[in-house]
Amino acid sequence: EMDATTDYQAGFVAVIGRPNVGKSTIMNSLIGQKLSITSPKPQTTRHRIHGILTTDRFQVVFVDTPGMHLGGQKSINRYMNRAANSAFGDVDLVLFVVEAGRWTKEDQAVADKCRNLDVPVVILVNKVDKFKDKTELFPFLQKVGDQVAFEALIPISAYTKSGFEQVQAEILKHLPQQDAIFPEDYITDRSTRFLAAEIVREKLMRALGDEVPYGATVEIEQFAFNEEEGRWHINALILVERPGQKQIVIGKKGEQIKQMGIQARKDLMHLLDSRVHLELWVKVKENWSDDDRALASLGYTE
Ligand code: GDP
Ligand code: K
Ligand code: MG
């Protein structure tokens, strides 16, 4: 029950913007834990995911989203845009992320959405670490500021965390006074099994060129703690759309998939705080990304 006299603050903050501006990196950095996977490729984030930061004074529920993108007519593109759009409703604040020095049609489309919102918008101009001379950025900041009515426009770097104090202060200005929404030990709305699949998919997105990632997804087939061995047994199935993609994922003499396994296992041990036995398999499932039923069975459900 809500307590009107509480000093505690809690609420939802959506992180929106076009693909690749750094939304997931920013959320991870703000909560101090890696929950949402990141890579230099657009469409790395495919699902809406909550990252929850709880202190003794406030609880912020960040809503990370796939970037809103134009084009792409497959079921999976529609799914991602729905997930991106769903973040606009019922939040207390929107963090609109753009990339320092780069304004595209897709940024414009997000700005147009922001203009029709009742929710306050804070613009984060990310990746300012790329500019040695910050004065070079002034015309860009001016231009971005002209697009949307905003509460604050903050140049930041998710890498160096410059600007982060101001971001937190700005969030607290807009967080309602109410009790915590989630128990204090919750860090996300997603299951550990979901996070495990995402970790494997991150390694795929990072390791491979453009020819595979958008046609690949990961399904966890086994996820069980083996008491005798004192370690987790995880079997992950990498699904690709064409036989040629399967070979690329596996790589010469299996070297590619072996390296992905080593990296994924490291992150999984960190996530589960335990030893992990990981097996990766690759299978062809034609057209999964444009098949609503296949998508739903692979966890692409809202
Ligand atoms: P998203 O698609 O908006 O979620 O973007 P990601 O968080 O996946 O990041 C996209 C790429 O930008 C990744 O390669 C990140 O490492 C990189 N990136 C994110 N934040 C920064 C930053 O502050 N500075 C620089 N130079 N790169 C960043
Ligand atoms: K990305
Ligand atoms: Mg992302």
Side-chain angles (χ1 to χ4, degrees):
E1 201 166 289
M2 221 170 100
D3 174 6
T5 63
T6 186
D7 282 334
Y8 203 80
Q9 287 178 273
F12 288 87
V13 175
V15 187
I16 64 158
R18 72 158 158 84
N20 253 8
V21 289
K23 296 179 295 300
S24 300
T25 310
I26 290 169
M27 183 181 85
N28 291 338
S29 204
L30 282 166
I31 61 179
Q33 182 157 355
K34 187 165 157 192
L35 281 179
S36 200
I37 65 169
T38 67
S39 94
K41 295 198 177 61
Q43 304 181 26
T44 302
T45 308
R46 289 181 181 165
H47 309 269
R48 188 189 43 65
I49 175 170
H50 288 171
I52 305 167
L53 174 66
T54 305
T55 74
D56 54 4
R57 289 184 298 122
F58 59 84
Q59 180 177 73
V60 191
V61 184
F62 292 101
V63 187
D64 187 19
T65 60
M68 204 103 50
H69 64 109
L70 305 169
Q73 291 306 311
K74 288 183 172 183
S75 297
I76 191 168
N77 300 113
R78 289 195 295 272
Y79 169 85
M80 287 191 289
N81 275 334
R82 273 201 306 277
N85 274 312
S86 73
F88 281 98
D90 278 342
V91 295
D92 301 294
L93 180 68
V94 160
L95 300 178
F96 173 21
V97 184
V98 303
E99 181 175 337
R102 283 195 65 197
W103 181 265
T104 71
K105 258 191 232 161
E106 291 186 309
D107 294 297
Q108 191 61 53
V110 182
D112 293 343
K113 280 233 159 78
C114 283
R115 221 169 289 128
N116 303 314
L117 281 181
D118 278 338
V119 185
V121 174
V122 167
I123 303 175
L124 303 184
V125 179
N126 190 32
K127 309 196 188 183
V128 296
D129 53 277
K130 287 184 167 179
F131 288 75
K132 252 209 192 109
D133 179 4
K134 303 289 187 258
T135 61
E136 274 177 38
L137 268 173
F138 290 169
F140 182 79
L141 300 180
Q142 179 77 48
K143 181 181 160 188
V144 172
D146 286 343
Q147 308 297 317
V148 188
F150 59 87
E151 301 289 318
L153 191 153
I154 313 173
I156 66 161
S157 163
Y159 279 6
T160 68
K161 296 201 176 195
S162 97
F164 268 42
E165 274 173 32
Q166 206 190 333
V167 175
Q168 195 183 73
E170 212 45 58
I171 290 171
L172 288 179
K173 267 191 215 166
H174 295 96
L175 222 51
Q177 284 197 338
Q178 59 175 333
D179 289 335
I181 298 156
F182 293 98
E184 63 180 41
D185 58 344
Y186 271 38
I187 53 165
T188 181
D189 59 333
R190 296 289 184 172
S191 68
T192 313
R193 193 183 176 115
F194 170 89
L195 299 177
E198 288 288 275
I199 284 171
V200 175
R201 200 166 57 75
E202 178 184 81
K203 304 315 168 198
L204 264 168
M205 299 293 292
R206 290 185 176 187
L208 300 173
D210 280 335
E211 61 277 48
V212 179
Y214 311 107
T217 193
V218 176
E219 195 179 14
I220 300 291
E221 289 201 311
Q222 192 196 8
F223 191 74
F225 188 73
N226 186 310
E227 295 285 353
E228 236 163 72
E229 297 175 16
R231 62 179 184 172
W232 284 84
H233 275 226
I234 302 173
N235 285 0
L237 188 59
I238 298 166
L239 293 169
V240 295
E241 297 200 296
R242 292 193 301 276
Q245 295 177 329
K246 179 174 169 175
Q247 201 41 55
I248 293 171
V249 171
I250 293 169
K252 236 191 221 159
K253 293 186 178 155
E255 193 52 35
Q256 178 89 264
I257 196 165
K258 186 179 153 196
Q259 287 307 322
M260 287 189 303
I262 289 169
Q263 279 157 30
R265 190 169 154 270
K266 214 157 87 189
D267 283 13
L268 287 166
M269 290 200 300
H270 188 72
L271 175 74
L272 298 163
D273 198 15
S274 159
R275 291 196 301 137
V276 170
H277 174 76
L278 173 66
E279 284 181 29
L280 296 180
W281 304 87
V282 193
K283 208 172 113 180
V284 180
K285 187 178 174 92
E286 270 167 42
N287 208 31
W288 67 265
S289 69
D290 199 20
D291 175 341
D292 286 327
R293 269 187 40 208
L295 276 177
S297 78
L298 291 168
Y300 292 80
T301 48
E302 276 125 301

